């Protein structure tokens, strides 16, 4: 049975998929030749032989098909993702936020961040204190 | 460390490096009365500085030895610490230092930055800032904000001759005209005292 089924596959496969057949069937090729001789002796296979052989052949095909599709047909991107697309995707939702916690400096009236010294007044007052300290020393 | 109780900021340094950094900062603080660093470093240095001044107030042989171990230049600074600073804070029950947030010092990383200063010292920026606020309110004929009044009270409370020193500072700061040229009451284009 197995001999027959291997014979069939071996005979029609190279014609359909020459590349696959040449690679994946190479190791078992000698055995198929032996079986081919055996099959020629009995000329025509009986009906019962075929009936049993076919389901077994079907069960073996999927594993072969897995090899067939390797590297031939796969869903792949058609184009490289552009720099712009990639940066937009990676930085989505990470834009800088507006600073809304602002108030007026009580010493100069300028706008400053809340809970933070006004940098203008800090510089001028700090400079004044520094100069006074140096004068004393 | 992940998820655990962190008792102090590690400041991305190993122990010896961190210890050296904090000693450097506290030495500079005692020397210059004020240092500007990142906010987390200022807060960590504040702890050490408060402890150092407590040692100065204890003022015995043990505390003197411990303070020598903290400062990097004890020969220059121990007299100041055990003299001037000890007397300045004699009546103050803790809270000898102050951390004020400032605009980021580094434009590059925009890290939180702060000033660490000795309270009631010659570089007390909160004192000068409050005086500047009072000066501006006086110039514009406004009543003082409750926060300004509270700040004035805090800033003059333990300072010797506090109120007089404050009034003097108000005069001095008023002369600076912090609001710029057009900051007089006649061309100030904003609503008074809200
Ligand atoms: Zn200001």
């Amino acid at each position: 049975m197995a001999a027959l089924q291997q014979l069939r596959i071996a005979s029609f496969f190279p014609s359909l998929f020459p590349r696959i057949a040449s690679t994946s069937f190479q190791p078992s090729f000698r055995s198929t030749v032996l079986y081919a001789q055996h099959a020629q002796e009995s000329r025509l296979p009986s009906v019962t032989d075929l009936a049993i052989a076919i389901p077994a052949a079907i069960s073996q095909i999927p594993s072969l098909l897995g090899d067939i599709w390797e590297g031939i047909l796969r869903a792949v991107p058609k184009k490289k993702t552009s720099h712009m697309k990639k940066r937009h995707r990676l930085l989505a939702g990470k834009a800088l936020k507006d600073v809304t916690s602002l108030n007026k400096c009580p010493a100069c009236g300028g706008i400053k961040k809340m809970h933070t010294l006004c940098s203008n007044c800090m510089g001028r007052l700090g400079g004044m204190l520094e100069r006074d300290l140096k004068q004393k020393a | 460390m992940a998820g655990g109780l962190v008792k102090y900021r590690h400041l991305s340094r190993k122990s010896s490096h961190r210890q050296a950094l904090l000693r450097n900062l506290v030495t500079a603080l005692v020397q210059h009365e004020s240092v500007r660093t990142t906010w987390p470093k200022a807060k960590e240095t504040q702890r050490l500085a408060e402890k150092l001044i407590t040692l100065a107030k204890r003022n015995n042989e043990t505390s003197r030895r411990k303070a020598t171990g903290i400062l990097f230049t004890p020969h220059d600074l121990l007299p100041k610490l055990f003299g001037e600073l000890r007397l300045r804070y004699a009546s103050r029950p803790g809270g000898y230092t102050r951390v004020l947030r400032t605009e980021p010092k580094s434009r590059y990383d925009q890290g939180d930055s702060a000033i660490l200063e000795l309270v009631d010292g010659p570089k007390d920026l909160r004192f000068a800032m409050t005086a500047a606020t009072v000066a501006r309110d006086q110039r514009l004929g406004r009543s003082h904000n409750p926060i300004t009044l509270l700040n004035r009270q805090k800033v003059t409370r333990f300072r010797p001759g506090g109120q007089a020193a404050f009034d003097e500072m108000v005069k001095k700061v008023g002369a600076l005209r912090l609001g710029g040229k057009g900051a007089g009451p006649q061309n100030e284009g904003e609503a008074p005292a809200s």
Side-chain angles (χ1 to χ4, degrees):
Chain A
M1 311 303 154
L4 182 67
Q5 149 205 337
Q6 276 220 340
L7 164 72
R8 287 149 164 259
I9 293 162
S11 56
F12 81 76
F13 248 94
S15 58
L16 266 178
F17 306 102
R19 210 187 98 207
I20 299 300
S22 62
T23 55
S24 63
F25 269 83
Q26 210 66 36
S28 62
F29 199 70
R30 195 187 291 168
S31 61
T32 40
V33 172
L34 276 173
Y35 287 129
Q37 286 176 347
H38 169 72
Q40 269 179 350
E41 283 174 14
S42 65
R43 281 278 174 83
L44 289 165
S46 68
V47 179
T48 49
D49 279 354
L50 277 173
I52 299 163
I54 286 166
I58 286 166
S59 72
Q60 217 180 18
I61 279 173
S63 67
L64 289 167
L65 281 179
D67 293 343
I68 288 165
W69 303 126
E70 192 61 54
I72 300 177
L73 283 172
R74 274 285 164 84
V76 288
K78 211 167 204 173
K79 286 277 182 192
K80 177 183 177 180
T81 310
S82 70
H83 184 70
M84 181 182 168
K85 282 273 180 201
K86 184 174 158 190
R87 297 310 296 167
H88 275 162
R89 186 181 69 237
L90 292 179
L91 297 177
K94 290 175 193 157
L96 292 178
K97 286 182 190 66
D98 290 343
V99 176
T100 51
S101 55
L102 298 171
N103 60 6
K104 275 182 183 166
C105 171
C108 75
I111 302 288
K112 69 165 189 68
K113 264 200 233 167
M114 269 183 202
H115 315 299
T116 305
L117 285 180
C118 162
S119 53
N120 175 37
C121 295
M122 184 188 87
R124 294 190 62 184
L125 292 175
M128 186 195 75
L129 295 176
E130 183 79 60
R131 263 175 274 125
D132 288 359
L133 188 62
K134 273 184 186 160
Q135 273 181 5
K136 270 185 200 169
Chain B
M1 209 195 112
L5 180 66
V6 182
K7 297 215 168 106
Y8 49 87
R9 294 173 185 83
H10 291 209
L11 301 174
S12 312
R13 280 155 177 83
K14 63 179 183 180
S15 175
S16 55
H17 188 180
R18 182 169 54 242
Q19 207 58 33
L21 170 84
L22 295 178
R23 284 178 65 193
N24 263 324
L25 281 169
V26 85
T27 305
L29 177 70
V30 171
Q31 189 181 346
H32 300 288
E33 301 270 338
S34 146
V35 284
R36 180 162 185 204
T37 59
T38 66
W39 186 79
K41 282 180 200 150
K43 290 302 280 183
E44 281 305 309
T45 312
Q46 189 176 28
R47 286 164 58 122
L48 189 58
E50 298 275 339
K51 282 171 189 169
L52 184 67
I53 290 170
T54 306
L55 288 178
K57 284 174 77 173
R58 216 170 277 159
N59 195 25
N60 54 32
E61 188 49 43
T62 318
S63 73
R64 201 169 273 271
R65 209 167 287 147
K66 280 185 178 168
T68 311
I70 291 175
L71 293 171
F72 270 127
T73 53
H75 289 295
D76 302 336
L77 296 176
L78 267 195
K80 181 183 182 184
L81 182 64
F82 281 80
E84 190 189 337
L85 297 186
R86 181 176 66 85
L87 295 175
R88 189 194 292 171
Y89 299 121
S91 62
R92 186 182 277 272
Y96 317 114
T97 58
R98 185 185 288 132
V99 172
L100 301 167
R101 282 184 184 272
T102 64
E103 290 291 325
K105 199 166 80 163
S106 159
R107 282 273 144 212
Y108 176 66
D109 67 5
Q110 292 285 327
D112 289 347
S113 133
I115 288 177
L116 172 65
E117 62 186 17
L118 289 175
V119 172
D120 288 348
K123 298 268 285 286
D124 189 334
L125 204 54
R126 167 68 58 76
F127 181 73
M129 204 72 187
T130 310
T133 307
V134 167
R136 181 180 154 86
D137 285 346
Q138 284 175 358
R139 195 170 70 231
L140 300 179
R142 294 172 171 176
S143 61
H144 299 313
N145 193 306
I147 295 172
T148 307
L149 293 175
L150 180 65
N151 279 339
R152 186 175 64 183
Q153 196 256 331
K154 278 181 177 177
V155 139
T156 55
R157 190 170 165 201
F158 287 104
R159 191 182 273 258
Q163 196 56 53
F166 188 78
D167 291 340
E168 196 187 319
M169 183 57 97
V170 168
K171 267 183 210 153
K172 202 161 153 191
V173 170
L176 278 180
R177 310 286 284 176
L178 280 177
K181 272 181 194 168
Q186 59 275 9
N187 32 8
E188 185 96 0
E190 54 182 274
S194 55

